[in-house]
C-alpha cells in the first residue's frame, strides 16, 4: 500500500501548478527542470529529502549510465526496481506481509516471531500495540522536551506523504537515543548531527538536483577507491532481514551512495485502519565496523574536521549556535576542514550559493535547526576558486572577525559596568547581569552578522583598508547605539546613573583602544541631572 513506484503520493509545484506524482515521475520532472518545489515538506526535511533523491539517482546512473538524465519515468522505475533487487515492496510505505521489505523497513522472519519485539502482543485473542509512533510527527527526528517548538502529533496519521518524510528523516538522520536505539554512521558519534553542506549554481530544486547528480558521478570512482566501497554492492540497506544482534552490513559491502535504514521500524495498519509505526531495538548499529565512529565515510555533503585531536579526521559537528560566521568562514576557506568537490566553488562567471543545514542534536534534545543560503557574487566566486586570492581573502575575513570580537568585548564590558552602577572593578560573573548583557550582545551579533559576508565580498575588488575602516566604524556605531538604548532599559538609582553612564562609555572606549580599534568614540556627555534628581 502507498507504492512509491506507482502511486501519486509526492506533492510538487511545477510551472503548470501543484500536483502529486509517483517517485519515477518525480525523477523525470526533476531531469526536465520542471520541479519548482515540494508541498507538505517541512524546513528541516528539505535537505535530507534532496540528498536522498540525489543519492538514489546517482546510484541508478552508475548502474545504467546515460549521457543526460532521462526524462522518461520508465527509466527511473526500472532503476529503482534494480536497486531493490527486483523487490517491488521495498518502495511501498505499508506492506502487510512483514516477511517482505517495505520502504526503509526491514523484513521480519515472521509476525509470530518478532511482533512482540516490536511492541505488538496478543492477549485473549486481541492484539494490543505499544507503537514507536502513532503519527508521522512522533516518528520525526525533532525532539522538543516542552513540545512547543513544533507540536508533535499534529499531522494526520493517514497522510502518506507525511509518513514518507518522517520515515526518511528517522532512518537517515537519527543519532543515538538510549539503549538499543543506535544512530546513523554518517555522523561523528551518537550525539552529533548530520550536516548537509554544498556549493550550488542555483537554489532551484531541479537545477540543484541535476548539478549534484553530475557531481556525484565524477566523485564516485575516487570515493569508492578511498573507502573500499563496491562498484556493485548494496544501496538500499533494508532489503534483507536484520537479526539485530550485530551489524547488518559492513561498509565495504555497500556502494558509495548507500541509503541507511538505521533502526528496526515497521509501518503497520491496525484492524481499525490506523497506521502506526512499530519499533524494536538492536544490539549494534546497522552498519559496521564498530570502530567506525568518526562519520568519515565519504559522504560528499559532509565536511571533515581535520584537526580532531582524538580521531584525526571526523565529520563536521555543529554546536547549538549552528553555522556562525566564524564556522562558515572556516568552511569556505577550508581552515581546519576538508571540503569535497561538491562543496568547493567551481569556475564560472555567474553567482553561486554556499548552502548548509543541520538539525543540531544533544543528549535526548533538539538544540535547533539551522539553514544558511549564502549568496556569493561572481567576482567573489572567482576569488574563492583561485588559491592565491582565496588565501588573501581568508586573511581579510579573519581581520573582520577579529574586529567584531573586539567590539563585542568592549560592549560586554561597558554593559556590565553600566548594569553594576559604574564600580571601580566590574564583576563579570554575576548571573543576573550576565543574562541581561548576553541578550544585548545577541542583538549586536545579529546586526553585524547580517553585513559580514557582503563586507567581505566588497574586499574582492575594493580597497581593503577602506573597507575595513568602514566595517570598524559601523561596528562601533552599532555597539554604541545598543549601549545608548541600554541606558533607557535598565533602571538604576538616580544617584548612580550619571556615574554608571560615564564609566560605561569610558570602559567602552578603553577596551576599543586595547583591541587596536582606532575608531573615534566621541559622544556627547550625558545630561547632568539636577540636584533634586540626584538626591531624590
Amino acid at each position: 500500500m502507498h507504492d512509491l513506484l506507482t502511486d501519486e503520493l509526492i506533492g510538487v509545484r511545477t510551472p503548470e501548478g501543484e500536483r502529486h506524482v509517483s517517485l519515477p515521475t518525480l525523477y523525470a520532472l526533476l531531469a526536465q527542470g520542471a520541479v519548482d518545489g515540494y508541498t507538505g515538506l517541512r524546513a528541516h526535511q528539505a535537505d535530507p529529502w534532496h540528498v536522498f533523491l540525489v543519492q538514489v539517482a546517482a546510484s541508478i546512473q552508475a548502474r545504467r549510465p546515460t549521457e543526460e538524465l532521462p526524462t522518461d519515468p520508465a527509466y527511473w522505475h526500472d532503476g529503482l526496481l534494480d536497486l531493490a533487487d527486483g523487490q517491488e515492496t521495498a518502495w511501498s510505505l505499508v506492506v502487510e506481509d512483514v516477511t517482505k521489505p517495505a520502504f526503509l523497513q526491514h523484513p521480519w522472519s515472521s509476525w509470530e516471531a518478532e511482533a512482540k519485539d516490536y511492541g505488538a502482543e496478543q492477549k485473549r485473542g486481541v492484539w494490543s500495540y505499544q507503537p514507536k509512533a502513532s503519527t508521522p510527527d512522533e516518528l520525526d527526528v525533532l525532539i522538543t522536551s516542552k513540545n512547543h517548538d513544533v507540536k508533535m502529533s499534529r499531522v494526520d496519521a493517514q497522510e502518506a506523504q507525511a509518513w514518507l518524510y518522517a520515515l526518511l528523516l528517522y532512518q537517515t538522520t537519527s543519532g543515538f537515543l538510549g539503549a538499543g536505539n543506535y544512530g546513523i554512521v554518517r555522523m561523528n558519534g551518537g550525539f552529533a548531527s548530520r550536516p548537509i553542506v554544498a556549493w550550488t549554481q542555483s537554489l532551484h530544486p531541479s537545477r540543484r538536483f541535476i548539478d549534484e547528480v553530475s557531481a556525484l558521478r565524477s566523485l564516485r570512482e575516487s570515493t569508492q577507491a578511498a573507502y573500499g566501497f563496491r562498484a556493485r554492492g548494496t544501496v538500499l540497506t533494508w532489503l534483507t532481514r536484520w537479526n539485530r544482534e550485530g551489524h547488518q552490513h559492513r561498509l565495504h559491502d555497500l556502494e558509495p551512495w548507500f541509503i541507511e535504514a538505521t533502526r528496526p521500524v515497521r509501518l503497520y495498519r491496525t484492524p481499525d485502519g490506523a497506521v502506526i509505526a512499530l519499533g524494536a531495538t538492536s544490539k549494534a548499529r546497522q552498519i559496521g565496523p564498530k570502530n567506525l565512529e568518526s562519520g568519515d565515510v565519504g559522504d560528499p555533503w559532509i565536511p571533515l574536521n581535520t584537526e580532531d585531536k582524538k580521531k584525526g579526521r571526523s565529520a563536521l559537528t555543529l554546536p547549538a549556535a549552528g553555522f556562525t560566521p566564524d564556522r562558515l568562514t572556516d568552511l569556505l576557506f577550508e581552515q581546519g576542514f576538508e571540503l569535497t568537490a561538491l562543496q568547493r566553488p567551481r569556475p564560472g562567471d555567474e553567482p553561486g550559493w554556499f548552502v548548509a543545514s543541520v538539525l543540531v542534536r544533544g543528549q535526548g534534545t533538539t538544540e535547533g535547526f539551522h539553514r544558511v543560503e549564502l549568496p556569493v557574487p561572481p567576482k567573489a566566486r572567482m576569488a574563492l576558486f583561485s588559491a592565491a586570492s582565496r588565501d588573501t581573502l581568508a586573511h581579510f575575513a579573519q581581520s573582520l572577525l577579529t574586529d567584531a570580537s573586539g567590539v563585542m568585548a568592549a560592549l560586554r564590558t561597558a554593559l556590565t559596568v553600566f548594569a553594576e552602577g559604574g564600580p571601580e572593578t566590574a564583576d563579570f560573573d554575576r548571573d543576573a547581569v550576565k543574562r541581561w548583557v548576553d541578550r544585548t550582545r545577541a542583538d549586536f551579533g545579529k546586526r553585524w552578522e547580517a553585513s559580514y559576508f557582503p563586507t567581505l565580498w566588497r574586499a574582492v575588488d575594493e580597497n581593503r583598508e577602506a573597507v575595513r575602516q568602514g566595517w570598524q566604524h559601523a561596528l562601533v556605531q552599532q555597539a554604541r547605539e545598543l549601549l545608548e538604548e541600554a541606558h533607557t532599559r535598565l533602571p538604576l538609582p538616580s544617584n548612580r546613573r550619571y556615574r554608571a553612564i560615564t564609566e560605561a562609555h569610558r570602559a567602552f572606549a578603553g577596551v576599543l583602544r586595547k583591541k587596536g580599534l582606532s575608531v573615534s568614540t566621541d559622544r556627547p556627555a550625558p545630561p547632568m541631572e539636577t540636584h533634586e534628581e540626584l538626591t531624590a
Side-chain angles (χ1 to χ4, degrees), residues 133-148:
S134 298
T135 69
D137 272 11
E138 288 182 300
L139 190 66
D140 204 339
V141 293
L142 283 178
I143 304 168
T144 52
S145 59
K146 294 183 179 179
N147 195 25
H148 64 265

Side-chain angles (χ1 to χ4, degrees), residues 62-336:
R63 296 185 178 193
R64 298 164 173 249
T66 58
E67 188 171 339
E68 301 289 338
L69 289 183
T71 58
D72 181 2
Y75 167 88
W76 297 105
H77 179 280
D78 293 345
L80 292 166
L81 204 54
D82 182 21
L83 295 184
D85 294 339
Q87 301 182 79
E88 293 183 357
T89 63
W91 294 105
S92 292
L93 292 177
V94 182
V95 178
E96 292 186 10
D97 185 349
V98 295
T99 65
K100 295 181 179 180
F103 180 65
L104 288 167
Q105 304 160 59
H106 295 87
W108 299 0
S109 58
S110 69
W111 174 266
E112 293 75 18
E114 298 194 48
K116 187 174 181 179
D117 292 343
Y118 281 78
E121 192 171 4
Q122 188 177 40
K123 295 180 179 179
R124 298 178 181 176
V126 178
W127 285 96
S128 61
Y129 309 95
Q130 293 182 329
K132 174 75 67 175
S134 298
T135 69
D137 272 11
E138 288 182 300
L139 190 66
D140 204 339
V141 293
L142 283 178
I143 304 168
T144 52
S145 59
K146 294 183 179 179
N147 195 25
H148 64 265
D149 289 343
V150 176
K151 295 292 185 182
M152 297 179 71
S153 305
R154 73 176 185 181
V155 176
D156 183 352
Q158 306 305 316
E159 189 173 348
Q161 185 176 224
W163 278 114
L164 166 64
Y165 296 140
L167 189 61
L168 178 74
L169 268 286
Y170 181 76
Q171 292 290 54
T172 65
T173 68
S174 287
F176 181 79
L177 192 61
N181 293 288
Y182 290 88
I184 62 173
V185 74
R186 288 183 170 106
M187 65 170 58
N188 181 21
F191 297 115
S193 304
R194 183 186 180 184
I196 295 172
V197 179
W199 173 273
T200 184
Q201 314 281 76
S202 171
L203 297 179
H204 188 271
S206 291
R207 286 191 61 189
R208 184 180 173 193
F209 169 81
I210 294 169
D211 187 37
E212 294 189 12
V213 171
S214 175
L216 262 63
R217 181 185 298 178
S218 301
L219 281 169
R220 184 180 176 94
E221 186 174 339
S222 60
T223 304
Q224 182 180 321
Y227 293 90
F229 291 114
R230 288 190 178 183
R232 177 84 182 210
T234 298
V235 175
L236 311 181
T237 63
W238 61 89
L239 300 180
T240 58
R241 179 177 175 269
W242 179 15
N243 64 18
R244 297 179 279 116
E245 294 294 321
H247 303 303
Q248 183 184 15
H249 301 286
R250 298 280 172 168
L251 199 66
H252 57 72
D253 296 324
L254 308 175
E255 291 188 26
W257 322 131
F258 64 92
I259 311 295
E260 292 181 78
T262 193
R263 294 185 188 158
V265 66
R266 189 84 185 191
L267 295 188
Y268 176 73
R269 182 174 290 281
T270 62
D272 62 3
V275 174
I276 59 175
L278 301 175
T281 58
S282 65
K283 293 184 179 180
R285 192 182 57 220
Q286 187 200 23
I287 296 171
K290 184 178 181 180
N291 62 359
L292 194 63
E293 294 288 347
S294 68
D296 181 9
V297 294
D299 189 302
W301 289 273
I302 299 181
L304 293 177
N305 177 4
T306 58
E307 298 179 351
D308 189 316
K309 295 180 180 179
K310 293 183 178 180
K311 301 176 181 179
R313 287 158 53 97
S314 61
L316 167 68
T317 299
L318 274 297
F323 292 101
T324 62
D326 302 69
R327 179 59 74 233
L328 283 172
T329 300
D330 290 341
L331 291 172
L332 273 169
F333 297 107
E334 296 195 62
Q335 299 173 147

Side-chain angles (χ1 to χ4, degrees), residues 4-5 7 9-14 19-38 49-50 52-53 70-73 76 80 161 164-165 205-206 209:
L4 294 172
L5 294 176
D7 294 349
L9 304 175
I10 304 166
V12 295
R13 291 191 296 274
T14 72
R19 56 184 288 199
H20 281 75
V21 297
S22 67
L23 189 55
T25 301
L26 172 61
Y27 275 119
L29 291 173
L30 285 167
Q32 295 171 29
V35 176
D36 296 330
Y38 298 92
W49 173 242
H50 163 78
F52 165 79
L53 291 173
T71 58
D72 181 2
W76 297 105
L80 292 166
Q161 185 176 224
L164 166 64
Y165 296 140
S206 291
F209 169 81

